Amino acid sequence: MARLRTAILISGRGSNMQALVDAAADPAYPAEIVRVISNVPGAGGLERAAQAGITTTAIDHRDFDGRAPFEDALHAELTEAGVELVCLAGFMRLLTEGFVERWFDRMLNIHPSLLPAYKGLHTHERVLSEGVRFTGCTVHFVRPAMDAGPIIVQASVPVLPADDADSLAARVLTAEHRCYPHALRLVAEGRTSIVDETVIIEGAGGPAGITLNPDDGIL
Ligand code: GAR
């Protein structure tokens, strides 16, 4: 079966991108990474992607007069590459409703919290200051509102008494690196459908009471 032609959009070091690239290195994985695009020309992730043999593009948002022209260039690049699905992985630009509509149900994002809690920036600092006991990460389909959209996969991690923002971020990041390849697999296999803005996963159903995700086991 043809693998889903996937692009990854980044702004920084690209560790989630690397997790997706590593997963897709297996020819049996249902998605292939055909482009890595960054809005930040010097982003570390571009170098990592190039080392993995993936075509990379930098489209600097500062070269454009406003969001829409920047997104038009992004869209043209994605279309030219025959991209079928977009994965945002630490892509730190808000996207306009127009762009989101063009990739409706064909764009995923990862966020370092258990959405809908802690949208936006500085999630770990806010989690710590409010004393919550669990946090985690979420992979979801992108909708126009920031960090909103039907949830595909989540994983939780504990918040420990000795944590600071860095130690908590590192624990959440480990979960992110497991969740994103898992979510992309589910989507690329065609196992996800969206009903009333809720994701239904075909074949889901794990051990009752202890599943972290609506899937067939713990990640
Ligand atoms: C990740 O923790 C990702 O969840 C977060 O940025 C980091 C990127 O790291 N994304 C957001 O906060 C988006 N709202 P990475 O470049 O190493 O993947």
Side-chain angles (χ1 to χ4, degrees), residues 94 109 111 115 118-121 126 140 143-149:
L94 290 176
N109 181 44
H111 183 75
L115 291 174
Y118 300 103
K119 296 176 179 179
L121 298 174
R126 288 186 283 140
H140 63 95
R143 294 294 184 258
M146 181 188 66
D147 297 327

Side-chain angles (χ1 to χ4, degrees), residues 13-215:
R13 68 193 160 180
S15 73
N16 278 292
M17 174 217 75
Q18 187 77 56
L20 295 175
V21 166
D22 290 348
D26 178 354
Y29 190 77
E32 71 172 309
I33 310 304
V34 296
R35 275 287 191 291
V36 170
I37 304 172
S38 176
N39 66 309
V40 178
L46 287 175
E47 180 63 33
R48 296 172 86 163
Q51 275 169 13
I54 294 165
T55 305
T56 64
T57 315
I59 304 177
D60 190 339
H61 62 273
R62 293 169 301 189
D63 292 343
F64 297 86
D65 188 16
R67 286 188 196 272
F70 163 68
E71 292 175 352
D72 285 345
L74 200 54
H75 187 75
E77 176 74 16
L78 294 167
T79 305
E80 185 270 328
V83 168
E84 298 170 289
L85 187 85
V86 174
C87 289
L88 307 180
F91 183 72
M92 305 309 268
R93 294 293 296 168
L94 290 176
L95 295 166
T96 67
E97 183 161 359
F99 187 84
V100 172
E101 292 297 333
R102 281 191 268 187
W103 292 92
F104 200 80
D105 289 352
R106 299 189 298 146
M107 183 156 58
L108 315 185
N109 181 44
I110 188 158
H111 183 75
S113 77
L114 291 173
L115 291 174
Y118 300 103
K119 296 176 179 179
L121 298 174
H122 308 300
T123 53
H124 308 302
E125 287 85 348
R126 288 186 283 140
V127 159
L128 287 167
S129 73
E130 292 180 7
V132 302
R133 298 307 197 236
F134 292 93
T135 184
C137 62
T138 304
V139 183
H140 63 95
F141 286 102
V142 174
R143 294 294 184 258
M146 181 188 66
D147 297 327
I151 292 167
I152 305 162
V153 167
Q154 291 185 307
S156 62
V157 303
V159 181
L160 301 177
D163 272 332
D164 59 19
D166 288 343
S167 64
L168 188 54
R171 192 174 307 116
V172 171
L173 196 63
T174 302
E176 293 183 47
H177 296 164
R178 300 177 77 179
C179 279
Y180 216 165
H182 183 57
L184 177 56
R185 172 187 286 282
L186 292 173
V187 172
E189 285 176 346
R191 289 177 60 196
T192 55
S193 53
I194 302 172
V195 179
D196 293 337
E197 287 297 86
T198 298
V199 175
I200 310 292
I201 297 173
E202 186 189 311
I210 58 166
T211 343
L212 289 175
N213 297 288
D215 193 42

